[in-house]
Amino acid sequence: MRFEEILVTATIVSGIVFLVNFINRKDASKKDRKPNWLVKEIVALFPVLVLVLFLRSFLGEGFRIPTGSMKPTLLEGDFILVNKFAYGVRLPISGTTIIPVGKPKVGDIVVFRHTNGQDLIKRVVGVPGDRIRYTNKQLYINDKLIPHTEIATTQDHGIYTIESKERLANVVHDIYDYPQAMQIYKYDNVIVPPHSVFVMGDNRSNSVDSRVWGFLDEKYLIGKAVATWMSWDSSANGKIVPIRWSRIGKSIYQYADKHES
């Protein structure tokens, strides 16, 4: 059971206890009867659970980066803040949109629930109507090559890696590529259908994404990633507190101009 399901269940149960206790207090025959300690604790906890559920479901949520598929933008152990209001107000668990607010844009980093039940994070590279082609490690959107400029070479888990700078719409970001990795993708020349997006990891040679499993239906979107609020380096040896201090409070977007598109 996911935390969201546990939270909703706990809120409903505590709400029932709260309501029953409220009715009993209004009942003249029971108003002098004092509730036991457990009922008192549950009644006191109910407003807190309601507040947490509201904030987590409709405004923001924390998300931990589990893999390196979004390197170098996001690292394993980064904790990011997700704006759940960006793409509409959705009901918890079902994800049904009750108040539409906005649509994902090219360049957005989105958190979503995959059909296998996992929460994943990728970058939007195509929206409805866009033709997406990824051939010979070159990304084309609507038959236009998206150029990337090599800026450094590095190692990613011991693998020789080229780091390049890429621009999607007005969002500038870095990507990783393993020159020696040769991959054939099922979805490499497609048109994004309505109510869907095409997503890819910034670590282009180490990301299972829309190139493999296809389009992401917008109904599975959880929200837009906006900033890193904590970063824990589990690979740091010898550090008493392995925190990446420089990444705390860091925005995960760079814009080529002053106008976000």
Side-chain angles (χ1 to χ4, degrees):
M1 181 179 286
R2 300 194 309 269
F3 176 76
E4 185 178 39
E5 295 169 341
I6 295 173
L7 180 60
V8 171
T9 301
T11 304
I12 292 173
V13 171
S14 63
I16 293 172
V17 174
F18 182 92
L19 180 61
V20 171
N21 180 70
F22 178 79
I23 293 174
N24 287 340
R25 288 177 60 185
K26 294 295 183 180
D27 189 333
S29 64
K30 298 179 180 180
K31 65 179 181 179
D32 295 328
R33 185 185 301 174
K34 295 183 179 180
N36 62 39
W37 67 269
L38 180 59
V39 172
K40 286 183 178 179
E41 293 297 326
I42 294 175
V43 168
L45 185 61
F46 173 63
V48 177
L49 290 174
V50 170
L51 178 61
V52 172
L53 180 63
F54 174 82
L55 293 176
R56 190 179 186 277
S57 299
F58 304 128
L59 297 180
E61 179 182 349
F63 180 82
R64 182 181 182 276
I65 303 300
T67 70
S69 71
M70 283 298 294
K71 282 184 173 180
T73 307
L74 297 169
L75 308 178
E76 298 104 321
D78 279 354
F79 290 81
I80 61 171
L81 180 64
V82 179
N83 179 359
K84 304 189 77 170
F85 188 75
Y87 306 132
V89 177
R90 300 167 185 264
L91 293 176
I93 299 180
S94 69
T96 303
T97 301
I98 54 177
I99 304 177
V101 175
K103 292 286 188 178
K105 302 173 184 177
V106 171
D108 285 2
I109 298 176
V110 296
V111 175
F112 57 94
R113 183 152 297 129
H114 193 262
T115 52
N116 63 11
Q118 290 183 305
D119 290 348
L120 303 178
I121 182 166
K122 305 292 179 185
R123 189 183 297 274
V124 175
V125 300
V127 294
D130 285 345
R131 177 183 291 277
I132 305 299
R133 183 156 57 96
Y134 191 76
T135 306
N136 297 325
K137 300 187 179 182
Q138 299 291 326
L139 174 63
Y140 298 81
I141 301 178
N142 297 322
D143 298 319
K144 179 182 178 181
L145 174 66
I146 306 301
H148 53 267
T149 304
E150 181 178 335
I151 57 175
T153 58
T154 185
Q155 296 281 326
D156 183 32
H157 295 293
I159 301 173
Y160 175 71
T161 303
I162 295 176
E163 182 175 353
S164 303
K165 190 169 291 293
E166 179 181 80
R167 174 174 172 173
L168 290 173
N170 71 328
V171 178
V172 179
H173 61 283
D174 293 351
I175 61 173
Y176 271 2
D177 175 58
Y178 304 161
Q180 65 275 35
M182 300 301 295
Q183 296 166 303
I184 298 176
Y185 297 103
K186 181 179 179 181
Y187 297 86
D188 62 358
N189 188 10
V190 293
I191 296 178
V192 183
H195 311 297
S196 300
V197 290
F198 196 95
V199 296
M200 293 171 58
D202 288 352
N203 195 343
R204 296 287 165 80
S205 299
N206 189 22
S207 174
V208 178
D209 47 44
S210 288
R211 295 170 295 174
V212 177
W213 42 255
F215 308 107
L216 168 63
D217 193 309
E218 290 178 0
K219 69 181 180 182
Y220 295 118
L221 289 172
I222 294 175
K224 177 182 178 180
V226 292
T228 303
W229 62 269
M230 175 59 74
S231 185
W232 188 268
D233 187 2
S234 59
S235 65
N237 297 320
K239 286 187 178 180
I240 298 176
V241 182
I243 296 176
R244 303 183 185 103
W245 297 102
S246 63
R247 298 186 65 79
I248 296 178
K250 181 180 179 181
S251 172
I252 57 178
Y253 295 98
Q254 299 179 48
Y255 295 100
D257 52 54
K258 296 181 180 179
H259 304 286
E260 299 183 14
S261 61

